[in-house]
């Protein structure tokens, strides 16, 4: 969130023992379900070649025939002569790739891979490049088909000798967009380079005016002449580009994210941030960015370590940064601004408020940015252990006896749990007093298995992925090691993820004992689901392909919310003259309703469906997983359970159900976005890290504990409930425990201190 190798020409699903897979109504346990995608590719490529091979290419005057596109012709038509439309960097790249594929002779345009390299070169040199396309292309006229000048026979198009260039329409595509979506500076330059201007017309660029949404209004831009642009503050900007050429006027709007360095005003109100005071490079080139707390004189004194979650390599329009691997790093963490180029941007606008409050309390902020944010949990846990050991030495050298607070978001919460547990079992001191898990998938994460099968089905059909390469990118992301370990169900092992099972069986995958643990969930705590039911359809794709009025192909696929015994996927491809290749209706016995369960949400259905989704979202981190509840009831109602008797603290007699010492669920009992920061949860976290009133119950005290007002220590401390005679708080000799409170320290029943402590 590979025992099995997936090929683009042949893939199969292998079934695990714990789940029963049914394909076409037949039980498939202990069998291998084969689907030969190479046959589909052969059929499509043959049809493509046969359809247009006999046309007179001299009549196709532009060298671009849009009819060659199978599944994305409408996308190209959409941007032809549009007057006012949104155009992202990704849209621009998609259009360019479609033009590249529609060439008769591939000598006009370079591959998208080469173009992406040029874009990155410009960005590395300090400029945001714009891309301009002014291309004429041909399309077969319907009248030419009706009049018989071009006719269809035996799966091919032919032209009569008297047919000529008037049998083809000539259309123009004239678009422009910034090709980088995220900029790590308030001051930058934009350039329209000649290398990214593509035209087969008269090469008269026309007039191009740009409004950068910085208060300066529209200004002219010319080829190869950079414009210096200064933004007053960070945030998402809408760049407007006006094209005027002859009688044509077109306006395109593109969003870019400015995550600028701002040393004077910080926090969510402006979105500004400051660079880290120090960056520690770790053994695998992972980075730990450090901003020292107020009054700590640039010395590590009171560390708050934040461990990032799952993080993939950025798309081409989001170049790497020296403050970020992938789409999450110090710039995003410190500014709280969603990066527009990430697949599913995080809603973390309150993160700067949390950081500022912690800094004011003297916490040094350390953010761990993994070099590979999708690597195995075990390897990234070792990197965290390396960071902890380094920081321990720094504290000793700086004469600080403070212990760490270690927080992990999403995958980071799982990595932190594993690392602290491993250190304890190996007899190593992790020097941590508090472990905070923020919507981490302790019992597993969830991407609908129907969506996974759908991606893998179409990722094997090259005629589709040529036009929609993002399908392969998405499939390959969820096939990285960390997603395979985190997800309960995974396509490459049938249903149940064998990698997830191996992780939870790992001896180090325990909850650390010598630390106070806090679990935060973004999902609902009162059984509120996702607004639809198990077995409901989530995605319904039905795309028909016509060429000059002749239907030549059709792709269909359906993804359903997982349900015991009900279908979760079906797919079919039909190619003219070649028949049908189908992946039959597929279901599973014993599957849990993860997709519809209470939990933090993700919009995977929308990302894959691109307009064909019935429901945009699904449960990504079930609430019972974020709180690691010992139940298989995904609709467990926390709000009416015994976990609320001592909320937010967990009573000792409920430790069998929940391993955390304290939990958080939002007061509205709604399903928030995954790791969404809100005013409520940020305020709650702040108070628990630097509390007004602190309760210490049922744990062994080590290190320093502080509260602004009072500290209560004893067995189950709560109001209105008779506490059973369970649990002790013990201060042992030699542990150097220290309690500091502004008003009072209250030692209640159950508190024990050995003589001499």
């Amino acid at each position: 969130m590979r025992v099995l190798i997936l090929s683009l020409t042949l893939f199969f699903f292998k079934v695990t023992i714990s789940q029963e897979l049914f394909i076409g109504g037949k039980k498939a346990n202990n069998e291998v379900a084969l689907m030969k995608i190479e046959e589909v590719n052969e059929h499509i490529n043959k049809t493509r070649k046969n359809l247009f091979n006999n046309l007179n290419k001299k009549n196709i005057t532009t060298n671009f025939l849009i009819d060659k596109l199978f599944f994305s012709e409408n996308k190209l038509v959409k941007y032809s002569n549009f007057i006012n439309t949104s155009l992202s960097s990704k849209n621009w790249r998609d259009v360019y790739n479609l033009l590249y594929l529609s060439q008769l002779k591939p000598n006009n345009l370079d591959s998208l891979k080469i173009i992406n390299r040029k874009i990155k070169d410009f960005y590395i040199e300090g400029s945001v490049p714009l891309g301009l396309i002014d291309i004429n292309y041909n399309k077969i006229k319907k009248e030419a088909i009706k009049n018989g000048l071009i006719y269809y026979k035996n799966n091919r198009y032919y032209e009569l000798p008297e047919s000529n260039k008037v049998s083809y329409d000539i259309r123009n595509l004239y678009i422009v967009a910034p090709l980088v979506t995220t900029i790590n500076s308030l001051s930058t330059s934009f350039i329209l380079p000649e290398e990214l201007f593509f035209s087969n017309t008269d090469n008269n660029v026309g007039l191009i005016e740009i409004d950068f949404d910085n208060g300066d209004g529209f200004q002219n831009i010319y080829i190869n002449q950079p414009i210096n642009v200064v933004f007053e503050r960070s945030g998402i900007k809408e760049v407007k580009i006006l094209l005027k050429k002859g009688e044509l006027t077109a306006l395109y709007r593109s969003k870019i994210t400015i995550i600028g360095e701002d040393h004077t005003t910080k926090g969510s109100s402006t979105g500004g941030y400051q660079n880290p005071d120090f960056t520690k490079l770790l053994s695998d080139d992972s980075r730990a960015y450090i901003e020292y707390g107020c009054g700590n004189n640039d010395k590590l004194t009171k560390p708050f370590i934040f461990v990032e979650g799952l993080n993939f390599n950025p798309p081409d329009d989001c170049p790497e940064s020296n403050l970020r691997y992938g789409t999450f790093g110090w710039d995003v963490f410190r500014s709280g601004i969603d990066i527009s180029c990430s697949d599913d941007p995080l809603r973390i606008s309150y993160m700067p408020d949390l950081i500022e409050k912690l800094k004011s309390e003297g916490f040094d902020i350390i953010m761990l940015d993994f070099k590979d944010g999708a690597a195995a949990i075990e390897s990234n846990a070792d990197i965290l252990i390396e960071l902890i050991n380094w920081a321990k030495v720094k504290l000793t050298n700086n004469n600080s006896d403070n212990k760490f607070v270690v927080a992990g978001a999403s995958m980071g919460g799982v990595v932190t749990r594993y690392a602290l547990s491993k250190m304890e079992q190996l007899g190593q001191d992790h020097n941590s007093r508090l472990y905070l898990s923020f919507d981490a998938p302790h019992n597993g994460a969830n991407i609908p298995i129907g969506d996974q099968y759908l991606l893998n089905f179409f990722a094997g059909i090259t005629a589709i992925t040529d036009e929609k390469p993002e399908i392969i990118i998405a499939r390959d992301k969820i096939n990285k090691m960390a997603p395979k370990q985190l997800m309960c169900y995974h396509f490459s092992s049938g249903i149940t993820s064998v990698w997830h099972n191996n992780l939870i069986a790992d001896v180090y995958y325990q909850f650390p004992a010598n630390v106070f643990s806090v679990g935060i969930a973004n999902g609902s705590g009162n059984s509120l689901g996702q607004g639809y039911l198990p077995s409901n359809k989530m995605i319904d794709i039905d795309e028909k392909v016509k060429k000059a009025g002749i239907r030549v192909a059709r792709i269909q696929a359906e993804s359903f919310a997982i349900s015991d015994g009900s279908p979760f996927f079906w797919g079919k491809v039909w190619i003219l003259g070649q028949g049908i290749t189908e992946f039959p209706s597929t279901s599973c016995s014993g599957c849990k309703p993860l997709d519809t369960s209470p939990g933090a949400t993700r919009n995977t259905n929308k990302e894959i469906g691109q307009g064909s989704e019935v429901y945009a979202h699904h449960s990504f981190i079930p609430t019972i997983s974020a709180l690691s509840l010992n139940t298989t009831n995904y609709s467990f109602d926390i709000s009416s359970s015994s976990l609320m008797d001592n909320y937010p603290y967990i009573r000792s007699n409920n430790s069998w159900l929940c391993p955390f010492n304290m939990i958080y669920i939002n007061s509205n009992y709604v399903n928030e976005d995954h790791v969404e920061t809100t005013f409520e949860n940020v305020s709650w976290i702040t108070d628990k890290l630097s509390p007004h009133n602190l309760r210490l119950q049922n744990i062994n005290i080590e290190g320093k504990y502080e509260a602004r007002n009072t500290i209560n220590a004893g067995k189950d401390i709560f109001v209105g409930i008779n506490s059973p005679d369970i649990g002790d708080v013990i201060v042992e000799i030699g542990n150097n425990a220290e309690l500091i409170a502004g008003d009072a320290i209250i030692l209640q029943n159950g508190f024990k201190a050995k003589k001499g402590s």
Side-chain angles (χ1 to χ4, degrees), residues 14 64 75-76 140 191 241-242 297 324 459 463 710:
K14 194 169 184 179
F64 296 95
K75 186 181 290 186
L76 194 60
I140 299 174
I191 188 171
I241 307 179
L242 188 64
N297 300 318
R324 169 172 33 88
T710 63

Side-chain angles (χ1 to χ4, degrees), residues 25 35 42 99 163 190 223 284 336 355 446 513 521 565 652 695 753:
M35 182 177 182
E42 182 182 350
L99 285 172
S163 176
F190 288 76
I223 289 182
D284 71 338
I355 294 171
N446 173 59
S652 296
R695 299 176 183 176

Side-chain angles (χ1 to χ4, degrees), residues 202-463:
D202 58 9
N203 291 322
N204 180 10
V205 178
L207 181 65
I208 305 176
E209 299 179 68
I210 302 185
D211 182 349
F212 294 101
D213 196 12
N214 66 340
D216 291 342
F218 280 97
Q219 52 188 307
N220 295 339
I221 187 170
Y222 304 97
I223 289 182
N224 293 332
Q225 295 185 19
I227 294 181
N228 294 323
V229 179
V230 177
F231 296 94
E232 181 179 347
R233 59 181 57 186
S234 300
I236 297 177
K237 312 296 181 182
E238 184 177 65
V239 177
K240 297 174 184 164
I241 307 179
L242 188 64
L243 302 177
K244 296 179 180 179
K245 181 179 179 184
E247 297 181 355
L248 172 67
T249 299
L251 177 66
Y252 290 101
R253 293 173 280 109
S254 303
K255 290 185 178 180
I256 58 173
T257 302
I258 310 297
I259 306 184
E261 184 181 335
D262 185 345
H263 288 275
T264 57
T265 54
K266 300 179 288 296
S268 62
S269 59
T270 66
Y273 75 97
Q274 69 179 49
N275 279 330
D277 297 317
F278 179 75
T279 300
K280 167 63 178 175
L281 194 65
L282 298 162
S283 60
D284 71 338
D285 289 335
S286 293
R287 305 182 188 124
Y289 313 103
I290 302 175
E291 186 176 341
Y292 296 110
C294 296
N296 290 349
N297 300 318
D298 291 341
K299 290 183 177 181
L300 196 64
T301 306
K302 189 179 179 182
F304 171 88
I305 301 175
F306 179 88
V307 183
E308 74 165 352
L310 198 63
N311 193 6
F312 298 103
N313 291 333
D316 292 309
D317 57 356
C318 181
E320 291 282 14
S321 162
N322 60 356
L323 294 175
R324 169 172 33 88
Y325 287 121
T327 56
F328 187 86
W330 178 261
D331 48 2
V332 181
F333 171 70
R334 193 61 180 86
S335 69
I337 296 176
D338 296 346
I339 285 202
S340 56
C341 57
S342 63
D343 289 338
D344 197 15
L346 301 175
R347 297 179 62 181
I348 56 171
S349 60
Y350 282 94
M351 187 64 76
D353 296 312
L354 174 61
I355 294 171
E356 288 301 313
K357 289 175 181 177
L358 294 179
K359 280 189 61 185
S360 69
E361 297 293 334
F363 283 100
D364 305 306
I365 309 301
I366 305 176
M367 188 245 152
L368 177 55
D369 186 10
F370 294 116
K371 176 66 182 295
D372 183 354
I377 302 299
E378 299 90 338
S379 60
N380 277 338
D382 285 341
I383 296 302
L384 174 56
I385 291 172
E386 179 186 345
L387 172 62
I388 288 173
N389 285 329
W390 172 83
K392 283 167 53 182
V393 173
K394 287 294 182 182
L395 289 183
T396 300
N397 293 342
N398 295 334
N399 297 315
S400 171
D401 59 358
N402 284 311
K403 291 184 176 290
F404 303 135
V405 172
V406 190
S410 189
M411 179 197 74
V414 173
V415 169
T416 302
R417 162 185 173 172
Y418 190 98
L420 297 181
S421 172
K422 182 176 181 179
M423 293 186 78
E424 288 183 356
Q425 293 188 52
L426 294 178
Q428 301 173 6
D429 177 19
H430 51 59
N431 194 51
S432 301
R433 68 172 177 86
L434 191 146
Y435 157 49
L436 191 149
S437 168
F438 196 153
D439 210 39
H442 295 285
N443 298 351
N446 173 59
I447 296 291
I449 191 67
D451 290 5
Q452 296 183 50
Y453 268 55
L454 188 152
L455 278 176
N456 197 46
F457 177 68
F458 288 126
I461 304 174
T462 56

